[in-house]
Amino acid sequence: MEMKDLVALCKKRGFLFQSSEIYGGLNGFWDYGPLGVELKRNVKNAWWQDMVATHNEQVLDVDAPSKYEMTGLDCSIIMHPQVWKCSGHYDLFHDFMVDCTESKRRYRYDQLRGRWCACKGQRVFVLGDPAADNWDDSIHARAMKFFNLRGKDADELKFDAELLSLETVSDFSQVLAPEAKRLGTLMPPREFNLMFKTIVGALGGEDDASFLRPETAQGIFVNFRNVLDSTRVRIPFGIAQQGKSFRNEITPRNFTFRSREFEQMEIEFFCEPSTSRLWYEYWRNRRFRWYTELGLASEKLRLREHEQAELAHYSVGTADIEYAFPFLPAGEYGELEGIAHRGDFDLRSHSEGKLVNRDGHLEVELNEHGKPKYRGSGKDLSYFDDQTRQRFVPHVIEPSSGADRATLAFLCEAYHEDEAPDENGKMTKRVLLRFHPRLAPVKAAVFPLVKKDGMPELASEIYGEMKKHFVTFYDEKGAVGRRYRRQDEIGTPYCVTVDSQTLVDGTVTVRDRDTLQQWRVRREDLVAEIQKRIQ
């Protein structure tokens, strides 16, 4: 599959649109169309149902160290500025960027890729355009233009085999930037704050500055005590939240994979310190299994443990669930979800003040006067276990998933092309989205075979009955074969056709999107039949 084919289908069928498109669009922001909003809502609903709503705390879950409880929150997007100072975001939430003095463009340092190329006695590092669909095509085109070659002379370019990150290059004087005509136009990398700044209050000044949250997790941590005091949850338990987050990405790219506004699905799981490693392994494996159960091919997924050098200063361990997105070079994966063992960093930070790692120990960071650089709330965020009579600061396991990235992965996985008979019985190319039925935006479509003999009226009645239970589409325009194709293209798993036999015995034809199998079902059993199959 070419990524451009999926992007075109998403616009054509109303899954995704560029934000503010009639004004030229706004980079890094996307709008979900009529089908896209249903798909994303189904992804979020499946996550909430599977992780929270249907969790039975009285039953020991498979591979879980013990029974546990789950609950939820919905926290505000704008929080007290001190939250982000104690969490470390205010000081540490930066990406390194490089500026091009010629094109005036800015790029994320760790996202630029290139190859060393020799030609006409020169050896230069040619960078590809991070917005291009294919790194190699972009690099080749840039090299051809720089060395002023025609197509017939392409063999004069001698590329090194390995695609390298700009981070591996120490001498920028031999680097050709993505949109530059000459070498050495890139400035040294520097830090760029990723948080969106805002002012609270109509007449607010700099003292009233705050930020749009870059993650949903901190709202859970600062409400930890409220949840304990207002409910009967006992450790171990998890608090789940879904919501918008904002990061001022330098180079948003690859469709919705890296956006400036996105939605997260996060769990903060609180447990007794001695059991935290077991809970980390449980959540890591359970979250991986969730994606495969909803249709992501296991060979396109991998669970990668972070190397020690990759870990955040507070992290005991982190694993990424990664997916082989089609816009990445062969063999590369993009992060789908992170599962982090955060230790007691978060609760201690919001209690004591911003912490730093000194020789393997978390300590409050001090200013030049020997006082806490950023003071915590002073509230006691420890937990007292009335059965063991012990008090401790819980450890936290954080499975953090992006609703937009998950939706994109399910879209990429669902896209298929095959051949199927058209309305005349001729085998032709068919584009279809093979969503898991739980995720499909439309669960079923209802057609009258022809627009006469009372079939449209009967089909309309059946449509009304089905629509009370799940999203259903009605279509009576064009040949029935074309109507099937339209539903295949948006991922509808089942099509129901009212025909002449329906008028005789009350049965309808049900067609399966993937197998093309057809069978007859009594009208009164139809809703139950579809419901059974979409779960």
Side-chain angles (χ1 to χ4, degrees):
M1 181 196 75
E2 295 281 342
M3 194 64 197
K4 60 181 176 57
D5 296 329
L6 178 62
V7 174
L9 178 63
C10 283
K11 182 174 181 181
K12 172 187 174 185
R13 289 304 187 192
F15 282 94
L16 280 154
F17 308 125
Q18 177 76 50
S19 176
S20 313
E21 183 177 322
I22 64 171
Y23 290 103
L26 186 60
N27 196 20
F29 297 90
W30 296 89
D31 298 334
Y32 285 82
L35 290 176
V37 72
E38 292 291 344
L39 173 61
K40 184 178 174 183
R41 181 178 287 117
N42 289 344
V43 171
K44 290 160 54 181
N45 286 346
W47 184 90
W48 192 267
Q49 285 293 114
D50 295 344
M51 299 299 110
V52 186
T54 62
H55 173 70
N56 187 346
E57 70 279 1
Q58 299 183 24
V59 176
L60 180 64
D61 197 20
V62 177
D63 298 329
S66 69
K67 298 176 184 177
Y68 65 91
E69 298 179 69
M70 291 294 298
T71 189
L73 280 176
D74 186 3
C75 304
S76 62
I77 287 173
I78 298 177
M79 303 174 69
H80 194 290
Q82 199 70 9
V83 169
W84 307 112
K85 293 179 179 180
C86 290
S87 69
H89 288 81
Y90 186 79
D91 285 346
L92 302 175
F93 204 58
H94 300 82
D95 271 341
F96 281 94
M97 63 183 183
V98 290
D99 290 320
C100 178
T101 57
E102 181 180 321
S103 68
K104 309 303 180 186
R105 291 290 303 276
R106 177 173 290 163
Y107 307 97
R108 224 175 99 167
Y109 181 45
D110 65 340
Q111 290 182 350
L112 289 176
R113 302 284 187 274
R115 293 185 190 276
W116 284 102
C117 178
C119 184
K120 298 182 177 180
Q122 278 186 283
R123 180 172 164 81
V124 301
F125 190 73
V126 183
L127 288 171
D129 186 346
D133 292 333
N134 183 287
W135 281 113
D136 284 332
D137 290 347
S138 176
I139 291 167
H140 187 271
R142 297 288 301 123
M144 291 285 289
K145 190 171 183 179
F146 177 75
F147 288 109
N148 196 26
L149 297 177
R150 297 183 178 183
K152 64 179 182 178
D153 303 319
D155 290 345
E156 294 183 26
L157 298 174
K158 304 299 180 185
F159 289 100
D160 284 9
E162 191 173 1
L163 183 70
L164 299 173
S165 167
L166 178 61
E167 294 172 306
T168 65
V169 180
S170 57
D171 182 8
F172 280 12
S173 67
Q174 299 305 307
V175 173
L176 179 65
E179 296 168 87
K181 297 178 181 179
R182 53 190 174 84
L183 299 176
T185 62
L186 290 182
M187 300 291 289
R190 58 191 180 93
E191 287 186 329
F192 179 76
N193 195 299
L194 297 181
M195 288 198 292
F196 278 99
K197 197 172 186 178
T198 188
I199 299 295
V200 178
L203 301 177
E206 189 60 31
D207 291 341
D208 300 307
S210 190
F211 303 92
L212 304 185
R213 65 183 181 193
E215 65 176 29
T216 61
Q218 300 305 318
I220 297 176
F221 296 130
V222 300
N223 276 294
F224 173 73
R225 176 57 57 189
N226 288 334
V227 173
L228 280 183
D229 294 344
S230 63
T231 68
R232 299 177 63 187
V233 293
R234 297 180 52 83
I235 281 181
F237 71 92
I239 302 176
Q241 180 173 204
Q242 296 179 346
K244 294 274 191 176
S245 294
F246 304 82
R247 297 184 182 182
N248 200 11
E249 295 284 355
I250 301 161
T251 53
R253 62 192 179 97
N254 291 330
F255 208 16
T256 57
F257 181 78
R258 190 174 298 282
S259 305
R260 291 183 168 120
E261 176 183 341
F262 55 97
E263 199 157 3
Q264 291 183 287
M265 308 182 295
E266 292 194 304
I267 295 170
E268 304 304 330
F269 189 83
F270 301 92
C271 57
E272 197 273 326
S274 65
T275 65
S276 58
R277 181 69 196 184
L278 294 175
W279 283 113
Y280 169 66
E281 294 173 357
Y282 164 78
W283 280 109
R284 184 187 61 189
N285 297 333
R286 183 175 180 198
R287 291 301 304 144
F288 185 91
R289 190 168 65 247
W290 185 79
Y291 290 104
T292 60
E293 289 172 350
L294 284 175
L296 293 191
S298 58
E299 64 269 19
K300 293 183 182 178
L301 282 173
R302 73 175 183 183
L303 187 63
R304 184 182 68 84
E305 285 283 348
H306 282 206
E307 300 290 339
Q308 188 65 36
E310 294 180 85
L311 295 177
H313 67 94
Y314 56 79
S315 178
V316 180
T318 297
D320 284 344
I321 299 173
E322 298 177 330
Y323 179 71
F325 287 96
F327 50 74
L328 297 172
E332 289 195 15
Y333 294 77
E335 181 186 344
L336 195 56
E337 174 167 345
I339 300 92
H341 186 323
R342 301 175 68 100
D344 60 6
F345 169 79
D346 300 284
L347 294 180
R348 282 186 56 196
S349 292
H350 288 300
S351 178
E352 305 169 24
K354 182 193 171 189
L355 301 177
V356 292
N357 192 325
R358 299 197 190 283
D359 300 323
H361 299 283
L362 293 174
E363 300 177 0
V364 175
E365 185 176 4
L366 305 178
N367 60 21
E368 65 274 16
H369 306 296
K371 303 293 184 182
K373 183 177 181 181
Y374 300 123
R375 289 190 304 166
S377 66
K379 304 295 183 182
D380 181 8
L381 299 182
S382 64
Y383 175 82
F384 179 71
D385 190 323
D386 57 7
Q387 294 182 348
T388 64
R389 314 304 296 174
Q390 292 182 322
R391 181 174 293 278
F392 55 87
V393 178
H395 277 199
V396 175
I397 312 302
E398 179 191 74
S400 177
S401 172
D404 303 275
R405 286 192 180 182
T407 300
L408 179 59
F410 288 122
L411 270 167
C412 292
E413 188 70 29
Y415 187 96
H416 283 79
E417 295 180 3
D418 64 10
E419 286 193 343
D422 63 12
E423 62 272 17
N424 299 315
K426 180 182 178 182
M427 297 297 290
T428 57
K429 175 184 172 182
R430 178 178 71 138
V431 174
L432 71 157
L433 294 177
R434 286 180 172 164
F435 292 121
H436 188 290
R438 288 182 68 190
L439 303 183
V442 179
K443 306 304 184 188
V446 180
F447 310 146
L449 183 62
V450 293
K451 294 174 63 175
K452 61 181 182 179
D453 300 332
M455 293 183 200
E457 290 78 10
L458 185 54
S460 182
E461 289 180 13
I462 293 173
Y463 166 73
E465 294 168 3
M466 296 174 64
K467 198 172 176 69
K468 295 175 184 177
H469 301 277
F470 39 78
V471 178
T472 310
F473 188 85
Y474 181 85
D475 191 0
E476 59 180 32
K477 298 177 181 178
V480 70
R482 294 179 185 175
R483 285 179 267 169
Y484 283 148
R485 291 299 182 94
R486 289 197 288 265
Q487 295 305 312
D488 292 343
E489 202 169 49
I490 66 172
T492 304
Y494 302 105
C495 290
V496 176
T497 303
V498 173
D499 52 27
S500 57
Q501 189 174 337
T502 310
L503 305 176
V504 176
D505 61 12
T507 63
V508 296
T509 299
V510 180
R511 170 191 180 267
D512 183 278
R513 174 198 65 204
D514 299 332
T515 65
L516 303 181
Q517 179 186 358
Q518 297 188 21
W519 65 99
R520 299 199 71 84
V521 177
R522 293 191 305 169
R523 173 181 174 178
E524 56 267 32
D525 299 331
L526 184 58
V527 168
E529 171 83 3
I530 300 297
Q531 284 182 324
K532 179 182 69 175
R533 290 175 176 272
I534 62 178
Q535 294 302 318

